[in-house]
Amino acid sequence: MNVTRHFSDTRTEQGRVRFLLAAGRVCLMAEGPGWTHRSAHDTLADAATFLAVLPGLGGGLYRQALDDLDRQLAFGRGYEGAA
C-alpha cells in the first residue's frame, strides 16, 4: 500500500509549501497568488534546495518553510531517540 505522509505544511500570507513523503520520494508542493508548483525529489534536502529557486516564492515563505522543515526533522530525531 502506498501511503502519502504530510511531512511539513507551511502556510503564510504569501502562500503555502508542503513536503510530502510517498513511495520513497519527496513531493514538493508550493503555491501562492497566481502560481503553483509540484515536483518530486529523491531526498528532503534536494526538495529544500529546489525550493530556493522557485519563481514567485517570497523570502518570508521560504524561511518559514525551512524553519518548519528543520523543526519537523528535529522532532523526528527526538522521536527515534526515544525508542
Side-chain angles (χ1 to χ4, degrees):
M1 178 164 61
N2 186 9
V3 176
T4 300
R5 177 178 164 217
H6 282 73
F7 191 78
S8 177
D9 189 346
T10 302
R11 298 174 193 222
T12 72
E13 294 172 355
Q14 297 173 334
R16 182 179 186 188
V17 172
R18 289 179 284 170
F19 293 93
L20 299 103
L21 308 178
R25 302 274 289 168
V26 178
C27 180
L28 170 62
M29 298 175 71
E31 59 191 61
W35 64 275
T36 61
H37 171 83
R38 183 177 292 192
S39 58
H41 304 272
D42 291 330
T43 66
L44 280 167
D46 290 346
T49 300
F50 191 81
L51 183 65
V53 299
L54 286 181
L57 183 75
L61 178 55
Y62 175 72
R63 284 187 297 279
Q64 186 63 47
L66 290 185
D67 286 348
D68 290 349
L69 183 60
D70 280 344
R71 194 172 10 267
Q72 189 63 28
L73 287 167
F75 177 76
R77 283 191 296 271
Y79 179 75
E80 290 169 7

